[in-house]
Amino acid sequence: MHPLPIETAVVDECRALAADISGGVQRFIDAHTTVSIERTVLRAYGVDGADADGVPLVNTCVDRYLAAGGLGHGIAWWLGRALARGAANPQEAAEVLAYGSEVDDGSVGATREELLAALAPYTDAALERLDRARDKRLADRTRLGTGPTPWKYVIVATGNIYDDADQARAAAQAGADIIAVIRSTAQSLIDYVPYGATTEGFGGTWATQENFKIVRQALDDEQERLGRYLMQVNYSSGLCMPEIAYLGAVERLDMLLNDAMYGILFRDINPRRTLCDQYFSRRVIARAGIIINPGEDNYLTTADAVDSAHTVIASQFINEAFAKRAGLPDEQMGLGHAFEIDKSIEDSLLMEIAQAQLVRQIFPRHPIKWMPATKHKSGDIFWSHRVDGLYDLVGVATEQSIELLGMMTESIHTPLLQDRFAAIKGADYVFNAARHLSDEIIWNPEGRVVARARQVLDEARVLLREVQKEGMFSAIARGAFADVKRPENGGRGLGGVVEKSTAYVNPILQALEADHV
Amino acid sequence: MSDVPPHKRPPELIRAYGDRKDDGRIQLSFTLPVATSGRAKEAARRFAETLGLKNILVATMEKAGTNFSFFVVYANADVQLDYSAIVVPEVTVPEWGFKEINHLVHEQIGRKVVVVGACTGSDAHTVGIDAILNMKGYAGDKGLEAYPWFDAYNLGAQVDNVALLARARELNADAVLVSQIMTQRDLHIENSQQLIELARKSGQRDLLFLLGGPRIDHKLARELGYDAGFGPGTKPSQVASYIVDVLIKRRPQAER
């Protein structure tokens, strides 16, 4: 691949600015915890189950200590004390915390050293569980191998997890490498993780441990028949970002949608909450060896893809900076962008190529996720299929890593089995026919593509300079990204953000942070 | 033609047009849950035959999965319709542009038109409502936010029906725009209907209620209790024209 002639000094400056921007936020993150982080700690300790009304035990536990003003110590503090008092295991200890006649006021009982000692074996077990899942994935993947890149990523979205599993198999048989199970859109805004298998979902299925397991089993089985490793995706976004990351990690998901800003911009989740949650979730994800898929592509569904192309680049730098601070290696950062320029614009394809090549080049080791046209599509499936053909061509010509295949029925319905088949067959043709096209392209230094790439990169630098000057929270509040304005103290979930006390205990996070490279 | 009542129009018989008038040639594609084989192909032919099609050509049979076969079929549909008898309620929208609309509001209404829009219920797909309301607009047609004589409020995704009505009251809105894309199990229909019921109860049904989305048309919107429905490809100026036209017509005669 021949690089576009762009100034590396500009790229370096953008990266330095993003590091600085994330640094300011990281100080806030390090000083705070959230209800969903603390629930994840309980889950990591093996706490499971829900009451008769379906309220998970981890919620009851954390909410009780939040209400009592004790969450600043970390739920592990209280869990450790219950263990030291004689609870047989973390599950029993959590039940005491949730349903015991009295809330522990911390006046008497185990010291910090004693409670940490009581937690220690369970902390080790929690990490072992993550590592076992990671090792199993790695072993399967090494043994079976994956298809060539761009990996073909398709979506199943029946609302019934068993139908999803069947469709996932059929998609894999047709040639898909990656199966994403669409999650109910409403889940972003609920502050607990539901239980069990979904058979009547709305706009998808719930992200639950059981649903993850059902699809993974189907893929485990199918990949043996096909002799090709199959990857599974779900959503670690919304109010339960860290918890879903943990469940995804132990159920061996390969990729999780996980973005530092998506929930803030598109689901009106409080900025402080999301920024804290993304950090802990990414710590888990880093350890688990999962690839994150941030959602920058979504900016272009609300903002214009020509005018706002630079916001995608700027956001990628910021997502990268946050991910680095959470210990994620480049190889796990599936930064996103999209083929969303208005198709009626002359030379729109040239601008798409410029952007795709620019992203590829700025983030060379990152498994870049390339997203199809959605906004400028229509019910004319024949036209739409042709749009996807050009999209596939740009994908392979610029060596994108993960390609979410466009569907000819994009603006009509969630894909039928045959829509997915047509998309995979079309992509196979284009990828194969143009497999080494990228080696043949040498960019005209005076041409439109190079000029466009330079312009977008320069604009990204201007935006990053502005954000660096005013700070991340203020930039989000004034609508610097995706034309959406979100104040620091607005949105959902702020009540679940708690300042850490000086006594704060979180042995899981401590162990994960020890991995930091 | 549209001014003549249907029963008085001369019959106008039509068939599908393939290569020649009245040949009835059509295409269809579908999947059967069986492995590809000669039997599968015959099943596809019979499937088309059972639909009443003739001169069936199974153009392709493709393996779409171990136990799934995908077919493209061409055939003749022996279906004839009297086009003159077909009546569909359509939104009649004056073809006004940006300047004209603002001018009309200024001259004839004399105050800004207030519009509140949202994706309601569990719907998080804001592309449609954004295209109509946000500054940028759609296909070169500016969104209502850009209109100096409109105050447009886009409440975004997953807005509760009650909250939407409360906001409409607070802002003294003239029109409420609802965007719905949800395709599963007709959830969008229930939720859209509920808004109108709530509006009746809260005494807000006199506001203009507009429904938009990829699967919405005027007929469906009317059935659900809305004043008008707008499908895919609708431009912001069409929505603005509709609202302004109705508001002007609704004004008491004396004020005109």
Side-chain angles (χ1 to χ4, degrees), chain A residues 469-510:
Chain A
K469 203 175 279 176
E470 68 183 309
M472 177 85 170
F473 286 117
S474 155
I476 293 173
R478 74 164 167 88
F481 301 98
D483 295 345
V484 179
K485 298 177 184 135
R486 301 297 187 201
E488 186 177 348
N489 53 6
R492 299 162 169 102
L494 179 59
V497 182
V498 177
E499 199 181 343
K500 289 177 184 172
S501 75
T502 50
Y504 183 75
V505 161
N506 187 342
I508 303 287
L509 179 61
Q510 210 180 351

Side-chain angles (χ1 to χ4, degrees), chain A residues 157-158 173 185 189 418 425, chain B residues 31 62 66 122 136 158 184:
Chain A
T158 66
Q173 288 158 7
T185 43
L189 304 183
Q418 67 197 39
K425 187 176 173 186
Chain B
T31 301
E62 303 279 328
T66 309
S122 62
K136 182 78 193 173
Q158 299 183 332
Q184 281 208 339

Side-chain angles (χ1 to χ4, degrees), chain A residues 18-348:
Chain A
D20 201 56
I21 292 162
S22 65
V25 178
Q26 193 65 38
R27 283 190 287 282
F28 179 87
I29 294 170
D30 290 337
H32 293 80
T33 187
T34 71
V35 285
S36 41
I37 290 172
E38 298 303 323
R39 294 195 301 255
T40 311
V41 170
L42 289 177
R43 286 184 187 274
Y45 281 124
V47 177
D48 201 3
D51 67 17
D53 298 325
V55 182
L57 174 57
V58 295
N59 283 66
T60 311
C61 232
V62 167
D63 290 350
R64 198 173 185 200
Y65 280 79
L66 174 70
L71 209 57
H73 282 25
I75 199 69
W77 174 280
W78 308 105
L79 192 78
R81 284 168 59 86
L83 283 167
R85 275 200 307 275
N89 53 44
Q91 180 73 18
E92 204 181 295
E95 281 165 12
V96 172
L97 296 186
Y99 312 120
S101 53
E102 280 172 38
V103 173
D104 182 359
D105 62 4
S107 55
V108 289
T111 63
R112 184 182 182 85
E113 287 67 34
E114 286 164 354
L115 71 90
L116 285 174
L119 288 168
Y122 301 107
T123 307
D124 293 345
L127 292 164
E128 270 170 39
R129 199 170 165 211
L130 288 177
D131 294 347
R132 255 199 321 276
R134 184 195 58 204
D135 295 346
K136 162 81 172 142
R137 177 199 304 112
L138 196 61
D140 285 350
R141 202 169 143 157
T142 310
R143 181 170 54 84
L144 292 164
T146 51
T149 53
W151 284 329
K152 295 177 294 274
Y153 175 127
V154 298
I155 284 166
V156 295
T158 66
N160 178 325
I161 198 67
Y162 298 102
D163 289 341
D164 281 348
D166 286 348
Q167 296 237 2
R169 282 175 185 265
Q173 288 158 7
D177 299 296
I178 305 170
I179 310 291
V181 178
I182 289 289
R183 190 181 71 171
S184 298
T185 43
Q187 190 167 355
S188 319
L189 304 183
I190 60 169
D191 214 341
Y192 66 91
V193 180
Y195 268 80
T198 307
T199 53
E200 276 285 337
F202 296 117
T205 52
W206 298 118
T208 71
Q209 189 167 5
E210 184 63 17
N211 285 342
F212 290 175
K213 200 174 279 186
I214 289 166
V215 173
R216 187 65 255 177
Q217 272 170 4
L219 296 181
D220 278 352
D221 183 56
E222 198 60 42
Q223 68 189 6
E224 296 298 332
R225 293 166 203 243
L226 298 173
R228 175 166 53 89
Y229 182 73
L230 300 172
M231 292 170 264
Q232 182 187 0
V233 187
N234 212 291
Y235 295 68
S236 164
S237 57
L239 287 168
C240 295
M241 224 173 175
E243 282 179 279
I244 296 173
Y246 178 78
L247 297 175
V250 297
E251 295 304 333
R252 286 187 283 123
L253 263 68
D254 300 272
M255 293 173 198
L256 284 168
L257 276 79
N258 180 285
D259 190 296
M261 287 189 282
Y262 180 84
I264 301 170
L265 300 174
F266 297 99
R267 296 292 177 266
D268 197 12
I269 295 173
N270 175 261
R272 294 175 181 170
R273 171 73 179 263
T274 288
L275 288 163
C276 289
D277 283 349
Q278 63 86 27
Y279 174 69
F280 190 75
S281 69
R282 287 174 175 189
R283 278 280 167 205
V284 173
I285 284 168
R287 177 79 173 220
I290 293 172
I291 292 173
I292 56 164
N293 293 162
E296 285 93 355
D297 51 283
N298 289 282
Y299 296 3
L300 305 179
T301 61
T302 52
D304 180 75
V306 176
D307 302 341
S308 302
H310 65 289
T311 66
V312 171
I313 303 283
S315 172
Q316 287 170 331
F317 278 116
I318 293 172
N319 256 312
E320 179 192 48
F322 277 116
K324 266 188 191 156
R325 289 185 186 279
L328 272 169
D330 293 349
E331 290 75 10
Q332 284 175 240
M333 296 183 202
L335 302 171
H337 63 130
F339 190 78
E340 286 284 23
I341 296 175
D342 185 341
K343 308 299 174 271
S344 68
I345 295 175
E346 187 176 60
D347 286 331
S348 72

